[in-house]
């Protein structure tokens, strides 16, 4: 299995990356697979890159070039849409790298190295397993129906999610009509047929914080046509469309029931760590307790002497 599978991510939180890789290996049992990490050179330099590759076995890190398509005007970039609540509160100009990240990870067929593998695990660098993952990759590999495994799914039930999919339903609807596509997944088919964006927002989207892909789904003309169409709209940079909806919609167009939802609970898996306190705490609990004990002892000595 190790020769058939790899894992990859976009890397920004490099200080805790070794601990995260150890956590993934321990809780998936995949100790010998190859890990690929991609980042932008303004996230960390070559010294950090080399140190990580030395300290983490089977890791290769590669920098990704950033390029905004020439046909997109600066005024149309997502961070300039100040009328959106999400932009006003959470997406300043300094977050443009997020759009570059979405542009990169939304096209697995063009990501270096991973197309040499049958199965790929895509993970975010801020996840954390709290329990062993009870999942058989061999069964997934042999399953003719399921194409994507995800830690959990969600729907567009909050404003932020809808504000990062503006125009995406219309683009999907127009593409299906132009190509004569009747989506295999019933909810998407109903949304397109009824021109109903509310049905579209009820689609179960993958987490994209921990997804497992059969790479064969990205090695087709259907995928190539779809991703080229999406890139031609500019929506990744103008509306912050992400990989979960781009890949997920493609899967729902061409497969009847493609998603296997692991439905990991809060006591099994942390989707997004707000900071690195978990790792820090686990690594340094004994040290913290000893320091506290020393402090108490010192204060007691001062008090009595």
């Amino acid at each position: 299995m190790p020769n058939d599978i790899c894992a990859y991510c976009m890397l920004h939180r490099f200080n805790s990356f070794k601990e995260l890789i150890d956590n993934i290996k321990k809780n998936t049992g995949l100790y010998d697979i190859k890990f690929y990490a991609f980042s932008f050179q303004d996230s960390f330099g070559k010294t950090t890159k080399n140190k990580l590759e030395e300290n983490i076995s089977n890791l290769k890190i590669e920098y990704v070039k950033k390029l905004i398509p020439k046909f997109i005007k600066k005024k149309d970039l997502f961070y300039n849409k100040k009328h959106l609540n999400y932009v006003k509160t959470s997406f300043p100009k300094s977050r443009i790298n997020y759009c570059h990240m979405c542009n990169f990870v939304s096209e697995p067929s063009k990501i270096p190295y991973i197309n040499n593998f049958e199965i790929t695990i895509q993970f975010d660098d801020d996840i954390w397993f709290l329990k062993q993952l009870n999942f058989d990759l061999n069964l997934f590999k042999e399953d003719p129906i399921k194409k994507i495994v995800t830690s959990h799914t969600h729907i567009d039930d909050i404003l932020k999610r809808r504000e990062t999919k503006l125009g995406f339903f219309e683009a999907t609807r127009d593409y299906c009509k132009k190509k004569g596509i009747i989506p295999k997944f019933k909810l998407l088919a109903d949304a397109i047929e009824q021109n109903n964006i509310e049905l579209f927002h009820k689609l179960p989207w993958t987490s994209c914080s921990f997804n497992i892909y059969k790479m064969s789904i990205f090695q087709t003309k259907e995928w190539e046509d779809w991703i080229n169409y999406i890139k031609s709209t500019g929506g990744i940079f103008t509306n912050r469309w992400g990989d979960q909806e781009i890949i997920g919609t493609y899967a729902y167009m061409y497969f009847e029931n493609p998603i296997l939802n692991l439905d990991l609970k809060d006591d099994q898996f942390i989707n997004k760590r707000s900071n690195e306190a978990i790792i820090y705490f686990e690594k340094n609990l004994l040290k913290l307790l000893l320091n506290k004990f020393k402090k108490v002892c010192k204060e007691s000595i001062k008090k009595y002497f």
Side-chain angles (χ1 to χ4, degrees), residues 1-2 4 119 135-143 214:
M1 176 62 81
D4 297 334
I119 304 291
F135 174 68
D136 191 331
L137 269 171
N138 284 312
L139 290 179
F140 169 62
K141 183 179 176 181
E142 296 167 4
D143 189 326
K214 289 180 177 176

Side-chain angles (χ1 to χ4, degrees), residues 90-148:
S90 305
F91 209 94
K93 182 179 180 180
S94 59
R95 290 201 65 197
I96 188 61
N97 271 5
Y98 194 93
C99 293
H100 286 293
M101 178 190 73
C102 290
N103 189 56
F104 180 73
V105 297
S106 292
E107 195 169 6
S109 53
K110 294 290 180 66
I111 295 177
Y113 313 115
I114 69 171
N115 281 276
N116 295 324
F117 298 85
E118 187 175 349
I119 304 291
T120 61
I121 298 174
Q122 175 267 320
F123 65 96
D124 281 355
D125 66 357
D126 57 353
I127 64 166
W128 194 257
F129 285 96
L130 299 172
K131 291 183 179 179
Q132 190 83 16
L133 182 62
N134 184 21
F135 174 68
D136 191 331
L137 269 171
N138 284 312
L139 290 179
F140 169 62
K141 183 179 176 181
E142 296 167 4
D143 189 326
I145 297 174
K146 300 301 182 183
K147 308 299 180 182
I148 301 171

Side-chain angles (χ1 to χ4, degrees), residues 171-183 188 192 226 229 249 253:
T172 301
R173 177 200 63 201
D174 294 347
Y175 183 81
C176 287
K177 289 184 176 181
K178 179 181 178 181
K179 293 284 188 176
I181 297 169
I182 299 176
L188 178 58
I192 298 298
W226 168 248
Y229 167 74
T249 299
M253 281 194 292

Side-chain angles (χ1 to χ4, degrees), residues 178-237:
K178 179 181 178 181
K179 293 284 188 176
I181 297 169
I182 299 176
K184 296 287 184 68
F185 192 70
K186 187 177 185 307
L187 186 56
L188 178 58
D190 290 345
I192 298 298
E193 182 182 9
Q194 299 173 29
N195 193 26
N196 190 328
I197 194 171
E198 290 304 316
L199 287 180
F200 187 76
H201 284 311
K202 291 179 181 178
L203 284 170
W205 303 110
T206 65
S207 71
C208 279
S209 57
F210 185 81
N211 279 5
I212 306 175
Y213 299 118
K214 289 180 177 176
M215 289 303 294
S216 59
I217 68 173
F218 304 116
Q219 296 162 357
T220 67
K221 186 178 186 304
E222 288 80 7
W223 166 256
E224 185 178 349
D225 288 348
W226 168 248
I227 193 61
N228 286 340
Y229 167 74
I230 289 297
K231 293 292 182 81
S232 73
T233 68
I236 293 174
F237 288 97

Side-chain angles (χ1 to χ4, degrees), residues 48-102:
T48 298
K49 172 183 178 292
N50 293 338
K51 186 176 180 181
L52 287 169
E53 290 179 326
E54 288 174 7
N55 293 334
I56 301 174
S57 62
N58 293 326
L59 172 68
K60 182 174 181 58
I61 300 174
E62 187 160 311
Y63 292 122
V64 176
K65 292 182 179 180
K66 297 186 290 185
L67 181 65
I68 297 174
K70 292 182 179 180
F71 66 85
I72 298 176
K73 297 179 181 179
K74 185 176 180 180
K75 67 179 181 64
D76 295 325
L77 291 172
F78 187 65
Y79 62 75
N80 281 324
K81 299 189 173 182
K82 307 295 185 182
H83 61 286
L84 299 177
N85 184 69
Y86 177 60
V87 173
K88 284 190 295 185
T89 59
S90 305
F91 209 94
K93 182 179 180 180
S94 59
R95 290 201 65 197
I96 188 61
N97 271 5
Y98 194 93
C99 293
H100 286 293
M101 178 190 73
C102 290

Side-chain angles (χ1 to χ4, degrees), residues 10-26:
M10 288 296 295
L11 175 58
H12 307 292
R13 299 167 181 84
F14 55 87
N15 286 324
S16 58
F17 194 56
K18 185 179 187 307
E19 288 81 1
L20 172 59
I21 296 298
D22 290 342
N23 175 266
I24 292 174
K25 290 179 178 179
K26 174 184 174 182

